[in-house]
Amino acid sequence: MPLIAPRHPRQTLLFLALGVALGPGVAPANAEQATASAGPAAETTPHDHQPVDLHAVEVRSSPLPSTVDNLTRPVAVLTGEALDKVKASSIGETLGKVAGVQSSYFGPGVGRPIVRGFDGARVQVVSDGLGTGDVSTVSVDHAVSVEPFLADQIEVLKGPATLLYGSGAIGGAVNVIDGRIPEAATAEPLQGRAELRGGTVNDEKTGMVRVDGTSADGHLVFHFDGLHRETGDYDIPGYAESATLRAQEAAEHEEHGEHEEEGEEAYGTLPNSAVRTDAGAFGLSWVGDRGFIGASYSMFHTRYGVPGHSHEHGEEDHDHDPIAGDDDDHEEHEEEGPVRIDMDQRRSELRAGLDDAGVFSTLRLKAAHTEYTHTEYEGSEVGTVFNNTGDEARLEGVFKPWNGWNNAVGVQWGNRDFEAIGDEAFVPPSQSTDAGVFWIADRQFGPVKLELGARHDQNEIDVDNAVTAAPDRDFDTNSLSASMRWSITDDFSLSFGLDRAQRAPTAEELYSSGLHVATGSVEIGQPNLDVETANRAELGMHWHAGPVRLSASIYHVGFDDFIYQADTGIDDGGPVRVWTQDDAEFNGAEAEVNWTIADNSSGSWDLRVFGDVVRGELSGSGSRDIDVAVPHGDHDHDYTVELQRGGYLPRMAPSRLGGEINWARGGWRASLGAVRYADQDHVAANESSTPGYTLVDAHLAWHVDTSNGNAWEVFVDGSNLLDEEARVHTSFLKELAPLPGRGVAFGVRAFF
C-alpha cells in the first residue's frame, strides 16, 4: 500500500468546495469588519486577516475573562495575520518562533510543542479546553490530531497549567481554538476563507476551506471546514545520516574488514518522509439570547513515513549472552520495508453555554467522544496497531462578582481505553480514569492584580493482568497556584508566580516493557513510580514605552521525584532505556523585544528580537543502582544498572536567539528573519552533543480588498534560505533525519 495513495472522490469534493468558496456568487462579508475579536471563536470571523495587537486578545484558556496583558501568568497567543504567517503542518512547528517554545521532531508528520524544556506527558494539547483524544504522549512518533491550518487562535500557557487541565499539563498547555461549534451568530449570513498553497522542498499541495453561516432568524449557526495536504519526500542539504554516524559506521565496517556499498546512503532527499493529511468537520448550534447549545463531528486522517526506520527480522538466538557479546552468535536479519504510520481519528463533541444562571454569570459544558487508531506498517505488513477510545466532560461555572472577587469553579472527568496490538506492542492494554475539581479566583487591589487557584485530581490506571503481572495503580494529586501582576506605572509592570503542581505517572512510564521501534530502543517502565511534584517560582517584567515593548522572565522549577527516561548504556536488541525518577531542577529565562522603528511614507517597519534558554539537571549527587529486566521471549535478561544522581537531563532544548524585521505598506507586507540554535553540549550520560545551526526565512504577501467586500491575498514564503544542515537535539532521529533544506512555499488566500 503506497503512502500517498490517491483518493479521487475526496479530493474532488474538497476542490469543488474550494471553487465554490472562491467564486464570486457567495454573499460577501465586509472586509473592513475583519477584526481579531477577543470573544468566542464564532464571533472571531474566519476572514480575520488584519494586523492584531496580540497583547489585547482575550485568552480563552481561563474561565475568568482576561487579555494577554492582564493575565498574571505567562501566556502567548497567535491569531489573525500573525497566525496565518506561521501556520505549518504540525502544531509544534507552527509555534516554533514563540519565545520559550520549540518543537519536537520525528519527521515532518510529527511535531509536538516543547514548552520551556518540557514535552510529552508534561505538555497537554487541548481543543478549546478538551483533550485532543490522541495518544501523542505515548510515543514520539505519534502525531497530534490537531490541524493548525483550521485554527482560529492558538494559546500557549507557559508554566504549570494543572489548575485548568490536570496533571498532564504540569509543564504547560497549548489550547487550539477552531470554532467548530459556534457560540454566537456570525457577522454576515455567510462568510469564510479558503487557501491553496504549494511548496518546492517537498512538492507540497495543500487546500483548505472554511465556511460559517447563520440562519435568517439568527438562531441556527453552522460551521464547515475541510483540508487536504500531500507532500513528497523532502529535500535535504546533504546526507540523511549525520557525519558522526557515518564516521562511526565506517569505523565499524573497517573493524570487521567489510566495505560499504556505494550509493546506499541517502543524499539530497530524505527517503520515507512523505505526508498525506485529510481533515474536516461540521458543526451546528442553536444560539439564543442567554446561551447556546451545539454539536460537531470531525475527522483527522494522516499517513506519514518515519525517516531512517526499517524493521529487521530473523531467527533470534535466545541463548545469546548480551554481556559477553559472543561473536559466534550473530543473528541473521532480513530487512523489511520502511516504517509508515496510518492514523485515523473520529470525534464527536457537544458544547453548551448559559449566561446569567442564578449565582453564576456563565455556565459552560463541554463533552467529547473520540475514537482513535494508529497503525504502524512495516513495508506492506501491519506491525503494531494502537487503539484509543476516550471520553471527556468538563463543566465550568463563573460566579457573579462578590466583594471584588471573580471566582470560577469546575469539574472535569475523563476515561481512556488504550490497547496496543502486535509483536512489538511495548505497552500492555490499560484503562485510565481521571477526575478533577478546581477553583480559580482573582481580584484587583489598586495597581496589583492577584490570582489564586487550587485543584485536586484522582487518577486510576487499570492494566490488563493477562498481559502483565504489574499491579494497577491509583494516585491523588494536588496543585496550588498564586500569582500577581503589579502595574507600577501605566507602562511598566512586574509579575510574580508561585506554583506547586503534581503529576501522576502515565501507563507508558509504569508498564513499558520491550522494543519501541519508533525510538529504536528497548523501553522499560517501573510500576512503582510515585507522583512527581514541581515547585515553580517565576519573576517577569513588561515595559511598554512609545514604540518599544519589552517582556522578560526568569524561572526556577524544582522537582521532587522527577520521572525521566535514563539511557543505561546497555545494548540488548537496541539501547536499553529505563523510566526512573529522581530530584531535578529546571532553570530558564526568555525575553522578547518588539520595536516599531518607523511608520511613514516608506511604510511601517517593525523589529522583533527574542531569545530563550533552559537547563534541566538532576539535582542529586553520587549514584544509585536499579534492577532492569529486558524481556526475551519466555525469559528476561537481568541487569543491575548504576545511574548517576547528577548531571544534565537527556534531549533538552538548546538555547536560541532570533529576530525578524517586518515591513508593511498599503496592501504589501514582507519580513526577513533568522533564528540561531546554539550547540547543545549540555548532554546526559550516553547522549551525544548536537551542533548549532541558523535558520533564515522570508515572507512576502500582497493583500487586496475587492469592491464587493471580498479579499484576496497572494503570498510567497521562503524557509531555510541558507540551505543549512539542521539537526534537532530533542529528536530521537537527529542522527538520521535533518530538517528540510531550502524551500519556497507559495499560494493564495481568499476571505469572503
Side-chain angles (χ1 to χ4, degrees):
M1 184 184 73
L3 177 64
I4 307 298
R7 292 188 175 184
H8 298 296
R10 185 173 296 173
Q11 293 182 47
T12 301
L13 288 174
L14 176 61
F15 283 96
L16 280 175
L18 286 171
V20 171
L22 296 173
V26 177
N30 187 345
E32 294 179 358
Q33 294 176 349
T35 58
S37 169
E43 296 176 355
T44 304
T45 58
H47 56 288
D48 287 343
H49 55 277
Q50 302 295 334
V52 178
D53 181 2
L54 297 178
H55 298 271
V57 173
E58 183 175 332
V59 178
R60 293 280 301 275
S61 299
S62 174
L64 299 176
S66 187
T67 65
V68 175
D69 260 348
N70 291 330
L71 270 179
T72 59
R73 289 171 285 119
V75 65
V77 174
L78 288 175
T79 189
E81 182 185 292
L83 179 56
D84 281 342
K85 178 181 174 182
V86 297
K87 282 180 179 176
S89 59
S90 71
I91 188 70
E93 186 181 353
T94 299
L95 298 173
K97 280 193 173 183
V98 175
V101 182
Q102 298 190 36
S103 177
S104 68
Y105 191 71
F106 213 84
V110 182
R112 278 187 58 87
I114 300 173
V115 180
R116 293 181 168 180
F118 299 108
D119 62 353
R122 293 186 182 87
V123 174
Q124 190 164 359
V125 179
V126 296
S127 177
D128 202 0
L130 291 179
T132 56
D134 55 42
V135 292
S136 59
T137 60
V138 172
S139 172
V140 291
D141 67 323
H142 293 196
V144 179
S145 58
V146 168
E147 177 48 60
F149 274 82
L150 300 175
D152 290 334
Q153 182 169 308
I154 303 177
E155 304 167 351
V156 182
L157 302 179
K158 306 175 186 179
T162 50
L163 292 181
L164 298 173
Y165 303 122
S167 69
I170 195 171
V174 175
N175 189 26
V176 181
I177 300 166
D178 52 31
R180 285 177 162 175
I181 298 181
E183 298 184 10
T186 55
E188 297 291 334
L190 195 64
Q191 60 190 40
R193 63 180 295 165
E195 181 172 328
L196 290 171
R197 69 161 54 207
T200 62
V201 74
N202 55 4
D203 195 25
E204 177 188 4
K205 302 176 184 67
T206 298
M208 65 81 63
V209 63
R210 168 177 175 162
V211 181
D212 295 80
T214 303
S215 63
D217 62 6
H219 290 306
L220 282 178
V221 188
F222 79 90
H223 167 94
F224 166 78
D225 65 54
L227 175 137
H228 174 78
R229 176 188 299 113
E230 290 186 18
T231 71
D233 293 342
Y234 66 76
D235 297 335
I236 54 178
Y239 287 100
E241 294 186 352
S242 68
T244 301
L245 182 58
R246 287 185 288 116
Q248 178 183 332
E249 291 175 343
E252 291 175 354
H253 283 294
E254 183 177 350
E255 180 180 351
H256 292 89
E258 301 171 349
H259 298 282
E260 289 189 87
E261 296 182 12
E262 293 185 5
E264 67 179 23
E265 296 184 23
Y267 183 89
T269 301
L270 184 65
N272 199 34
S273 59
V275 179
R276 178 193 176 109
T277 301
D278 294 286
F282 179 79
L284 183 67
S285 294
W286 184 90
V287 177
D289 294 334
R290 293 179 52 207
F292 74 96
I293 183 170
S296 71
Y297 181 79
S298 61
M299 60 82 66
F300 183 85
H301 185 198
T302 184
R303 285 168 287 171
Y304 55 91
V306 180
H309 278 60
S310 61
H311 291 239
E312 295 178 340
H313 299 285
E315 297 182 0
E316 182 179 355
D317 184 354
H318 294 293
D319 295 328
H320 174 65
D321 184 353
I323 299 177
D326 188 350
D327 290 301
D328 294 330
D329 267 334
H330 288 301
E331 299 172 15
E332 295 296 329
H333 296 287
E334 180 182 352
E335 186 172 315
E336 301 292 336
V339 178
R340 295 172 294 114
I341 307 299
D342 190 317
M343 192 191 92
D344 185 85
Q345 178 178 281
R346 308 299 164 110
R347 182 178 175 93
S348 303
E349 286 194 48
L350 172 70
R351 296 178 186 252
L354 180 63
D355 298 333
D356 194 17
V359 298
F360 294 100
S361 60
T362 62
L363 283 171
R364 291 290 185 269
L365 173 66
K366 307 173 183 180
H369 172 77
T370 306
E371 295 181 356
Y372 172 100
T373 298
H374 172 111
T375 305
E376 295 183 355
Y377 286 91
E378 307 171 19
S380 60
E381 301 295 326
V382 174
T384 307
V385 178
F386 298 86
N387 292 317
N388 189 70
T389 301
D391 296 285
E392 185 176 358
R394 181 183 180 95
L395 178 64
E396 299 175 351
V398 179
F399 291 99
K400 294 177 179 178
W402 174 78
N403 198 27
W405 285 92
N406 301 304
N407 291 269
V409 295
V411 293
Q412 186 173 3
W413 173 89
N415 180 76
R416 187 186 85 159
D417 193 352
F418 169 80
E419 66 174 349
I421 305 169
D423 294 337
E424 292 166 340
F426 67 102
V427 183
S430 64
Q431 185 175 59
S432 303
T433 303
D434 305 318
V437 57
F438 63 89
W439 163 78
I440 298 175
D442 67 35
R443 181 177 176 177
Q444 195 77 34
F445 295 90
V448 175
K449 182 180 181 180
L450 176 67
E451 181 179 296
L452 303 173
R455 179 170 177 132
H456 173 73
D457 284 274
Q458 292 182 335
N459 312 91
E460 297 180 1
I461 303 176
D462 297 327
V463 68
D464 189 342
N465 297 122
V467 178
T468 178
D472 300 337
R473 298 294 306 275
D474 61 86
F475 306 92
D476 289 282
T477 58
N478 298 288
S479 298
L480 300 170
S481 175
S483 56
M484 61 173 288
R485 187 184 187 96
W486 178 22
S487 299
I488 300 174
T489 69
D490 292 340
D491 299 325
F492 182 73
S493 64
L494 294 175
S495 58
F496 305 91
L498 294 173
D499 297 275
R500 179 187 183 273
Q502 291 188 310
R503 182 179 76 89
T506 65
E508 299 75 46
E509 294 165 337
L510 293 167
Y511 304 117
S512 294
S513 181
L515 176 65
H516 185 180
V517 175
T519 63
S521 61
V522 177
E523 297 188 9
I524 306 298
Q526 297 293 314
N528 61 345
L529 292 176
D530 202 355
V531 167
E532 69 176 23
T533 302
N535 298 289
R536 179 189 72 114
E538 179 165 349
L539 171 63
M541 62 86 65
H542 304 267
W543 178 61
H544 188 191
V548 179
R549 182 187 292 268
L550 169 65
S551 61
S553 60
I554 57 173
Y555 55 90
H556 168 82
V557 187
F559 275 90
D560 296 330
D561 297 323
F562 180 80
I563 300 171
Y564 70 103
Q565 199 176 55
D567 194 327
T568 64
I570 298 170
D571 193 303
D572 189 352
V576 177
R577 297 187 175 107
V578 59
W579 289 103
T580 185
Q581 59 188 164
D582 208 341
D583 295 345
E585 293 184 353
F586 286 73
N587 295 286
E590 61 194 45
E592 180 176 337
V593 179
N594 291 275
W595 176 26
T596 301
I597 301 172
D599 191 355
N600 50 39
S601 59
S602 68
S604 173
W605 298 83
D606 298 282
L607 176 66
R608 174 179 179 254
V609 178
F610 72 97
D612 49 49
V613 59
V614 61
R615 293 283 184 267
E617 301 179 67
L618 296 171
S619 53
S621 59
S623 62
R624 58 193 173 93
D625 293 338
I626 62 171
D627 295 326
V628 179
V630 178
H632 279 267
D634 57 357
H635 69 282
D636 295 339
H637 290 164
D638 296 321
Y639 304 91
T640 297
V641 179
E642 182 181 27
L643 295 180
Q644 296 299 314
R645 306 195 67 175
Y648 294 105
L649 287 163
R651 291 173 295 282
M652 288 298 301
S655 305
R656 296 185 305 172
L657 179 63
E660 62 181 357
I661 186 165
N662 298 279
W663 167 83
R665 184 173 184 270
W668 291 90
R669 70 176 186 272
S671 68
L672 177 65
V675 181
R676 174 62 187 178
Y677 292 77
D679 299 347
Q680 182 55 291
D681 49 16
H682 298 282
V683 295
N686 303 306
E687 181 187 22
S688 62
S689 60
T690 305
Y693 52 90
T694 302
L695 298 180
V696 177
D697 62 272
H699 306 269
L700 177 66
W702 177 62
H703 180 93
V704 59
D705 295 319
T706 63
S707 58
N708 62 0
N710 292 337
W712 294 83
E713 190 166 281
V714 180
F715 61 91
V716 178
D717 300 328
S719 58
N720 194 5
L721 295 179
L722 300 182
D723 203 29
E724 185 160 353
E725 181 176 313
R727 298 185 183 272
V728 180
H729 181 76
T730 58
S731 172
F732 284 91
L733 298 182
K734 69 173 186 174
E735 307 293 348
L736 302 172
L739 292 177
R742 181 186 299 114
V744 177
F746 49 88
V748 58
R749 301 184 182 105
F751 308 88
F752 55 91

